[in-house]
Amino acid sequence: MHPLLGVLIGYLAGSIPFAYLAGKAHGIDLRKHGSGNLGATNAIRVLGRKTGFAVYLADTLKGFLPVAILPGLLSTSQPHLWAIAIGVAAIIGHVKPVFLLGQGGGKGVATTGGVFFGLTPIPTLIAFVSFVIVAAITRRVSIGSLTAAVVLPTGVVIEKGASNPLSIICVLIAIFVIWLHRGNIRRIMNGTEPKFGEKKEMAA
């Protein structure tokens, strides 16, 4: 398989809008409810925990499976570098899904977690544990996500070294994920960020 075809498949996999599909199955367009974000957190808030966690798992797998499967099928002497490219493509697909004409994607936390679990599992597991602990203590998923976005690149840099391509990409993706959470950061600062389980209509 040509490496660019692998990248395209990664992007298409990332573009599958599981939150949107779950909402439609309940007769709801998630883009018009809650935060308006097509991610697991909004799915939990609007559709309930069972459906929301299913969306989280699906979003994680669409990041993990491409980097776990596709690199071994590529005609290349550098599958590890193309694995990173495939993972980045999957994350971009989640944020800018072609199936929704590039509109209404998620913030990439679950898909990024899946990608990096496939590429470097130990730092990803540490970041996931930090996410769970902080989210549980603060009852705010966004704070847990932001914590993981700091812990993950730190762990990757420690494991791989600062000059490793995976470390550099991880830092850039973490910055991108934090930027996507800029609205959450504003609400955290002014005390209006909803707690986990609150079904509160809010701006994206």
Side-chain angles (χ1 to χ4, degrees), residues 33-65:
H33 294 270
S35 67
N37 183 258
L38 291 180
T41 301
N42 199 38
I44 291 172
R45 182 181 296 122
V46 177
L47 304 176
R49 295 187 182 185
K50 183 177 180 180
T51 299
F53 283 124
V55 169
Y56 177 84
L57 178 60
D59 282 348
T60 300
L61 286 175
K62 74 183 185 183
F64 171 75
L65 292 177

Side-chain angles (χ1 to χ4, degrees), residues 1-185:
M1 180 190 299
H2 194 283
L4 291 179
L5 179 58
V7 172
L8 176 60
I9 293 174
Y11 172 73
L12 293 175
S15 290
I16 302 173
F18 287 111
Y20 177 81
L21 296 174
K24 283 298 183 181
H26 287 76
I28 293 174
D29 186 343
L30 277 183
R31 295 173 297 181
K32 300 177 181 178
H33 294 270
S35 67
N37 183 258
L38 291 180
T41 301
N42 199 38
I44 291 172
R45 182 181 296 122
V46 177
L47 304 176
R49 295 187 182 185
K50 183 177 180 180
T51 299
F53 283 124
V55 169
Y56 177 84
L57 178 60
D59 282 348
T60 300
L61 286 175
K62 74 183 185 183
F64 171 75
L65 292 177
V67 301
I69 296 173
L70 294 176
L73 304 177
L74 302 180
S75 301
T76 175
S77 61
Q78 296 180 313
H80 60 291
L81 293 179
W82 283 103
I84 297 173
I86 290 169
V88 171
I91 294 168
I92 293 173
H94 179 73
V95 176
K96 295 292 183 181
V98 66
F99 300 122
L100 295 178
L101 302 179
Q103 301 296 319
K107 294 177 181 176
V109 175
T111 303
T112 298
V115 167
F116 280 93
F117 182 73
L119 296 174
T120 176
I122 293 177
T124 306
L125 287 173
I126 294 172
F128 177 74
V129 171
S130 70
F131 162 80
V132 172
I133 292 174
V134 173
I137 292 174
T138 63
R139 291 187 59 204
R140 288 176 171 85
V141 175
S142 58
I143 299 179
S145 298
L146 290 166
T147 300
V150 173
V151 172
L152 178 57
T154 302
V156 174
V157 168
I158 292 173
E159 181 184 63
K160 303 291 185 180
S163 61
N164 186 279
L166 183 59
S167 298
I168 296 170
I169 292 297
C170 188
V171 169
L172 293 175
I173 290 176
I175 293 171
F176 180 55
V177 169
I178 292 171
W179 180 79
L180 290 174
H181 281 78
R182 60 195 183 281
N184 301 88
I185 294 172

